[in-house]
Amino acid sequence: MERKRAIRRVGFVVLAANVLLVAGKAGVWWTTGSLALGSEAVNSLADAVYSTIILGGLYLTTKPPDWEHPHGHERIEPFISLFVAVGIFAAGGAILWQSTSSILAGTYGGDAGTLGVVVLVVAAAAKYVLYRYCYSVGREQNSPALVAAGVDNRNDILTAGAALVGVVGGQFGYPILDPLAAMVVSIGIVYTGYEIVRDNVNYLVGAAPPEYLRALIVQTALSHPDVYGAHDVVAHYVGPEIDVSLHIEVEGDMTIAEAHDIETWVVQAIRNIDEVDDVFVHIDPKELGEWKEDDETERYTMFSPDGGDDR
């Protein structure tokens, strides 16, 4: 319930902020004709559109599990993020075409003046706040869609800075800086789309999680005093969450109830890792000869959080 409220709250805040930024930037563009402000208005409009898509998608992802979706609806989030990327690519391409055409034709936009400078400075400050807000909540709640929105807001700070250079350059007698700034903005927008696609494709194709998470899974399983080893550890993304399967090695002289208690403990301990959704554990008694060396598991037992190992 808390995750649902947190994610939806961020969605509403981002949408409202982007609508206000569209109004401010478009107003200055309409009165001055500045291409840099126009490109920023298009950028914020794209942000507002995909914020609406995110908000609708987050409503679906935060619905509780049901008969047809027993693991919940979180796995739709990478698809939402890809919709975000499509909108970003479209906005970036449109701005790049407009700015390139302007430079080739030698027709530059108007001077946005002091008002344009103020709007862009306010926009950059607002985008920084949104970046920190979206990114921190996205990481805390394990939401790829919010992380994608955070990355987009981070890059919007840079594009607002580029637009500001164009506006100031126009005021000092260098009007070509206006379409050049718009071109820089478009490149930043397209790169944002690339980052979002790159990150979310891994969720969709079932890629392995980062090494530190794989190490944490192994170390958690081995932290039970009656687990003497682990092998055939497989962890992969199913949507934004991780499914885990592994074999644990125990002595064979215990009762079924004792073995079951160990398995339950290991499953629950690994599930307590925030990013993990489901865990499947197979118990290998020593007497069956199924204990085996696993170089990767051995390496993970020595792995430290800083990305190295303790040896």
Side-chain angles (χ1 to χ4, degrees):
M1 183 61 70
E2 178 57 34
R3 182 179 189 271
K4 179 189 300 184
R5 285 196 296 265
I7 290 177
R8 291 182 180 177
R9 182 167 56 246
V10 174
F12 278 115
V13 170
V14 172
L15 176 59
N18 282 322
V19 169
L20 291 175
L21 289 174
V22 170
K25 294 174 183 178
V28 177
W29 166 75
W30 183 259
T31 56
T32 66
S34 168
L35 289 178
L37 261 298
S39 66
E40 274 293 286
V42 172
N43 187 20
S44 291
L45 180 61
D47 289 345
V49 170
Y50 80 66
S51 294
T52 304
I53 295 174
I54 287 178
L55 198 56
L58 291 179
Y59 173 79
L60 295 177
T61 66
T62 54
K63 290 174 64 178
D66 54 37
W67 177 257
E68 293 182 337
H69 306 89
H71 288 274
H73 300 76
E74 290 86 357
R75 296 174 187 180
I76 198 175
E77 284 201 42
F79 291 101
I80 298 171
S81 299
L82 293 182
F83 274 110
V84 171
V86 169
I88 289 173
F89 283 134
I95 295 170
L96 182 60
W97 178 83
Q98 181 187 31
S99 57
T100 302
S101 300
S102 176
I103 292 173
L104 293 177
T107 56
Y108 310 131
D111 182 4
T114 303
L115 182 58
V117 173
V118 171
V119 167
L120 289 172
V121 170
V122 171
K127 287 296 184 176
Y128 177 77
V129 173
L130 289 175
Y131 156 60
R132 298 296 301 178
Y133 183 42
C134 292
Y135 197 81
S136 62
V137 175
R139 288 299 185 191
E140 179 183 341
Q141 301 296 336
N142 192 31
S143 170
L146 291 188
V147 171
V151 170
D152 181 49
N153 282 301
R154 181 198 65 193
N155 287 357
D156 284 347
I157 301 169
L158 303 179
T159 60
L164 185 61
V165 170
V167 169
V168 173
Q171 289 180 313
F172 282 91
Y174 300 96
I176 194 174
L177 288 179
D178 188 59
L180 284 175
M183 186 178 292
V184 172
V185 170
S186 71
I187 294 171
I189 293 171
V190 171
Y191 183 74
T192 298
Y194 159 74
E195 285 188 302
I196 293 172
V197 170
R198 178 198 62 196
D199 293 342
N200 284 276
V201 163
N202 283 336
Y203 294 136
L204 294 173
V205 300
E211 192 170 43
Y212 79 90
L213 276 176
R214 302 201 299 272
L216 178 59
I217 289 167
V218 170
Q219 292 171 5
T220 300
L222 296 178
S223 65
H224 191 286
D226 293 322
V227 174
Y228 294 93
H231 59 267
D232 295 342
V233 181
V234 177
H236 63 97
Y237 281 109
V238 180
E241 298 180 322
I242 300 168
D243 277 6
V244 179
S245 66
L246 73 159
H247 292 228
I248 58 173
E249 300 164 356
V250 301
E251 295 288 353
D253 58 355
M254 62 181 62
T255 65
I256 293 177
E258 290 170 334
H260 176 267
D261 288 344
I262 294 173
E263 182 233 4
T264 301
W265 187 96
V266 171
V267 167
Q268 190 56 55
I270 296 176
R271 277 182 179 166
N272 287 338
I273 299 172
D274 290 338
E275 295 84 351
V276 172
D277 176 35
D278 215 348
V279 183
F280 306 90
V281 174
H282 181 83
I283 296 178
D284 286 336
K286 182 178 182 180
E287 286 72 13
L288 294 182
E290 294 186 359
W291 288 22
K292 62 182 180 181
E293 297 291 331
D294 189 316
D295 293 338
E296 187 173 74
T297 298
E298 177 64 25
R299 182 168 63 86
Y300 286 152
T301 62
M302 308 298 292
F303 194 91
S304 60
D306 62 5
D309 58 46
D310 296 329
R311 287 175 290 185

